[in-house]
């Protein structure tokens, strides 16, 4: 590694950390307002989530025509999605196309991890250091580091002793993995596990699924996207995007529910759920009634409907019962979408092991051992998730010359203003940070909203000759209280999910997303911008410049 003290710092207007959808769009928008930008990405390519998660069956759970950028009409008209819910290779192809089409790569340094970021209060600038020993200084730092980008392998005793192959869903080998003729164990039954299990089952000689918590899953009802169906959508694309912006989840095409669950008779409710089950998709299902995520009684009707489906699908009654979730209301964890998940447990080569009643004790040279017995395995797949929402941000040592440290500030859980900015950390922005709707929405829609807001804000500051913006402590506290209040008015906090950090031993239990809806959140953000960002502490104007005059390096 080069001597850090000797490394020459290059200055840009904005550093962007990450080149997933958030980083890509941030580069594009920053350039549009004439700012120089340098993005730094740990991976060797663009795409973020879709670069790293290459496991079999990985695909989106929001329909591709919605889970895609809306900022360019030409892009959305030209791009052809092969399936209703497209697979990882197609989404990665799309991310690469966006990078090429908008000439974004020249602003990205790949294969490089940002290790620290320090704000100099005197100069109003960030110094960013990387795993390669580079140093950059920047007026603004934008964390597009992703909510689900720090994979987590549980700290099992004996992992090093295991003689077979092991994989994590989010660190999947680019050349793929051949499971033919192998005895495979999959640990984890979240969205990733549920997507990969049916496909691994088709290859492996034996597949053992180690389940700690049963999860709800509804059918994707995936299908090829015909040119006719895509054409109908594209004929009204702009209107559909506008409609999506006015919805809580950032997804158009689903009529909002009008009734509470108990307003329907049992028969009518079953018909509604049956119709939603047949349509496919999680939004469609959770949009059955207005109160599914607010009333435990209403939720139980939907939860029980899915349990009945599981019992009707899985032939072995013991396995079926084990697959029936009973510890959280449906939808309070991200509702999984599957392609034949429950049916997979009818295969002779697949077995389900309950590691809640008999936890995994250790990995052994030949497999793993639970408190009850040993399992011989050739391959182990960890579908064990992420240190979500805060992990990637806290992985960077973020400090200021005034003595603030983000790790210290967030010791008892994340605190931010709007999920966008953090008191005591001027000129730092988070994209889809904790305290924003982010993971409770169509993330591409949430990303576009955030990036637009941040870049519009920076352009405003530049016009006003202001070089510093900072969240105010009391305003931040009020926002955190509001996020909690809204969360507590729903069933969400009842689930031991990664939304509350429950999957990481010792992580403070805080419900992190803002669940009032992307539409309401957008209105709040727009109002703040419209009022000149007065809820922030702004630096003193130093004489206005135009956007173009302000540009230094065309990065
Ligand atoms: P990411 O795509 O996670 O990109 C962040 C990038 O930052 C990564 O490439 C990472 O390498 C880089 N990075 C992080 N820290 C550093 C550092 N210190 N230095 C340098 N680089 C760094 N959301 C939906 O709405 N619908 C879906 O269907 C959906 N499906 C998903 C499927 C999977 C398997 C997963 C894991 C998530 C899914 N999500 C989905 C959520 C998904 O993460 C978002 O939709 C979206 O892709 C996030 O984009 P991003 O750019 O914010 O973050
Ligand atoms: P996840 O939802 O956190 O699931 C992790 C699984 O691993 C859980 O079943 C968990 O059990 C289990 N696990 C963790 N540690 C364990 C241990 N020590 N022993 C036994 N089991 C253990 O992670 P994910 O499936 O990767 O999904 C994360 C998020 O990414 C999703 O919620 C979704 O937002 C997104 N995603 C979306 C899609 C999609 O459909 N498009 C696909 C993949 C991911 P517990 O529940 O008991 O902790």
């Amino acid at each position: 590694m080069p001597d850090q003290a000797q490394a020459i710092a290059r200055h840009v207007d904005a550093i962007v950390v990450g080149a997933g959808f958030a980083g890509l769009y941030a580069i594009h928008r920053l350039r549009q307002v004439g700012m120089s930008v340098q993005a730094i990405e740990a991976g060797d390519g663009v795409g973020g989530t879709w670069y790293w998660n290459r496991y079999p069956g990985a695909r989106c759970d929001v329909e591709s025509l919605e889970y895609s950028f809306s900022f360019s009409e030409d892009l959305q008209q030209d791009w052809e999605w092969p399936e209703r819910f497209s697979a990882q290779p197609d989404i990665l192809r799309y991310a690469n196309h966006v990078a090429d089409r908008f000439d974004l790569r020249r602003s990205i340094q790949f294969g490089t991890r940002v290790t620290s970021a320090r704000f100099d209060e005197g100069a109003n600038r960030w110094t960013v250091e990387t795993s390669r020993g580079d140093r950059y200084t920047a007026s603004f730092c934008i964390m597009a580091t992703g909510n689900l980008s720090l994979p987590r392998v549980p700290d099992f005793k004996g992992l090093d002793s295991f003689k077979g192959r092991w994989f994590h869903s989010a660190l999947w080998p680019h050349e793929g993995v051949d499971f033919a003729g192998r005895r495979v164990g999959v640990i984890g039954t979240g969205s990733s596990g549920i997507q990969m299990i049916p496909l691994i089952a088709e290859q492996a000689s034996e597949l053992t699924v180690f389940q700690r918590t049963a999860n709800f899953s509804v059918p994707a009802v995936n299908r090829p996207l015909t040119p006719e169906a895509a054409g109908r959508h594209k004929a009204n694309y702009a209107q559909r995007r506008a409609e999506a912006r006015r919805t809580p989840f950032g997804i158009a095409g689903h009529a909002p529910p009008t009734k509470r669950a108990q307003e329907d008779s049992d028969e009518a409710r079953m018909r509604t759920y049956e119709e939603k089950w047949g349509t496919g998709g999680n939004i469609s299902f959770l949009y059955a009634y207005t109160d599914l995520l607010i009333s435990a009684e209403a939720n139980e009707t939907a939860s029980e409907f899915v349990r009945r489906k599981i019992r009707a699908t899985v032939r072995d009654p013991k396995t079926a019962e084990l697959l029936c979730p009973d510890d959280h209301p449906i939808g309070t964890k991200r509702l999984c979408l599957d392609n034949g998940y429950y049916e997979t447990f009818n295969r002779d080569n697949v077995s389900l092991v309950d590691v809640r009643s008999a936890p995994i004790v250790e990995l052994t040279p030949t497999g793993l051992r639970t408190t009850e017995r040993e399992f011989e395995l050739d391959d182990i797949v960890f579908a064990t998730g992420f240190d979500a929402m805060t992990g990637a941000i806290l992985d960077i040592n973020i400090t200021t010359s005034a003595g603030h440290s983000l790790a210290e500030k967030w010791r008892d859980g994340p605190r931010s203003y709007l999920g966008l900015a953090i008191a005591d950390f001027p000129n730092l922005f988070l994209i889809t940070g904790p305290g924003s709707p982010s993971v409770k929405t169509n993330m591409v829609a949430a990303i576009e909203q955030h990036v637009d807001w941040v870049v519009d804000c920076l352009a405003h500051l530049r016009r006003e000759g202001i070089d510093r913006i900072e969240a105010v402590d009391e305003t931040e506290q009020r926002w955190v209280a509001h996020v909690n209040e809204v969360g507590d008015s729903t069933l969400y906090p009842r689930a031991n999910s990664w939304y509350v950090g429950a999957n990481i031993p010792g992580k403070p239990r805080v419900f992190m997303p803002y669940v009032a809806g992307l539409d309401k959140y957008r209105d709040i953000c727009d109002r703040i911008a419209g009022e000149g960002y007065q809820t922030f502490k702004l630096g003193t104007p130093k004489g206005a410049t135009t956007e173009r005059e302000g540009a230094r390096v065309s990065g």
Side-chain angles (χ1 to χ4, degrees), residues 135-363:
R135 293 175 80 211
Y136 292 93
T137 58
S139 307
F140 299 96
C141 189
I142 298 175
M143 294 295 173
T145 43
N147 285 300
L148 296 158
S149 54
L150 192 67
R152 180 178 170 267
V153 176
D155 200 8
F156 287 126
K157 193 175 141 207
L159 180 57
D160 288 345
S161 74
F162 179 57
K163 296 266 191 289
R165 306 181 298 180
W166 68 262
F167 310 94
H168 186 284
S169 55
L171 296 169
W172 207 259
H174 290 198
E175 64 280 12
V177 180
D178 184 5
F179 290 111
R182 319 258 310 170
R183 295 164 305 172
V184 182
V186 172
I187 303 175
T189 50
S191 300
S192 302
I194 283 176
Q195 285 189 328
M196 69 173 71
I197 284 164
L199 290 161
I200 296 180
E202 285 174 11
Q203 277 193 18
S205 61
E206 279 172 37
L207 171 63
T208 311
V209 176
F210 296 93
Q211 173 189 276
R212 187 164 68 183
T213 311
N215 238 315
F216 287 103
S217 185
V218 298
V221 190
N222 192 26
R223 53 177 172 257
L225 194 57
T226 62
E228 295 71 34
R232 278 195 300 276
H233 197 107
K234 288 180 177 181
N236 297 306
Y237 225 149
Q239 292 93 309
R240 289 191 70 115
R241 298 294 198 183
E243 187 198 323
R245 287 188 195 105
R246 302 302 338 142
T247 66
F249 300 113
I251 301 171
H254 300 276
T258 52
K259 271 192 206 168
R260 285 180 288 113
Q262 309 296 346
E263 285 180 63
D264 262 346
S265 66
D266 288 354
E267 296 74 36
R269 243 189 344 259
M270 286 309 117
R271 273 200 306 278
T272 299
Y273 291 142
E274 198 64 62
E275 186 214 314
K276 301 279 183 186
W277 184 267
T279 306
N282 42 21
I283 294 301
S284 165
F285 197 81
L286 293 174
Y287 249 21
Y289 294 104
T290 52
D291 55 350
L292 288 187
L293 293 166
I294 301 167
S295 152
E297 205 185 350
N299 187 286
E300 180 55 23
T301 65
S303 296
E304 188 52 25
F305 173 85
V306 175
R307 288 188 207 109
R308 272 190 226 154
K309 285 286 183 194
I310 298 170
R311 292 181 190 117
T313 306
V314 179
R315 285 197 287 271
D316 173 44
K318 241 179 94 191
T319 305
E321 220 39 55
L322 208 49
L323 286 166
C324 285
D326 62 1
D327 80 325
H328 65 282
I330 190 168
T332 54
K333 293 184 171 188
R334 189 152 179 131
L335 181 55
C336 304
L337 275 201
D338 70 272
N339 294 283
Y341 175 64
Y342 294 117
E343 290 82 350
T344 299
F345 292 91
N346 292 331
R347 294 177 67 106
D348 291 338
N349 67 334
V350 177
S351 51
L352 183 67
V353 173
D354 176 16
V355 292
R356 180 170 294 285
S357 60
I360 297 168
V361 177
E362 64 175 347
L363 267 58

Side-chain angles (χ1 to χ4, degrees), residues 93-106:
R93 203 161 47 80
Y94 173 76
N96 276 291
H97 172 80
V98 170
D100 292 335
R101 184 173 185 131
F102 298 97
D103 187 22
L104 306 179
R105 284 180 211 280
R106 67 186 160 88

Side-chain angles (χ1 to χ4, degrees), residues 17-23 40-43 47-50 52-53 55 59-62 67 112-114 144-146 148-149 192 334 386 392 396 432 441-443 447:
V17 188
F21 283 146
I40 301 169
E41 166 57 55
T49 287
W50 305 103
W52 296 105
N53 292 263
Y55 60 84
R59 60 178 69 246
C60 51
D61 63 3
V62 171
Y67 184 72
T112 307
R113 194 164 275 283
V114 170
T145 43
L148 296 158
S149 54
S192 302
R334 189 152 179 131
F386 303 85
I396 302 170
T432 65
T441 65
N442 168 3
M443 287 284 287
I447 285 167

Side-chain angles (χ1 to χ4, degrees), residues 464-514:
E464 300 294 318
I466 296 171
D467 64 358
R468 180 176 167 124
I469 181 167
E470 185 182 352
V472 177
D473 198 33
E474 292 107 67
T475 323
E476 180 179 275
Q477 283 178 31
R478 276 202 297 278
W479 180 255
V480 172
H482 176 57
V483 170
N484 288 331
E485 189 189 359
V486 174
D488 288 342
S489 70
T490 70
L491 301 175
Y492 285 115
R494 296 195 186 190
N496 284 322
S497 63
W498 55 260
Y499 298 148
V500 295
N503 62 325
I504 305 290
K507 190 164 173 172
R509 191 180 175 103
V510 175
F511 183 67
M512 295 182 271
Y514 178 56

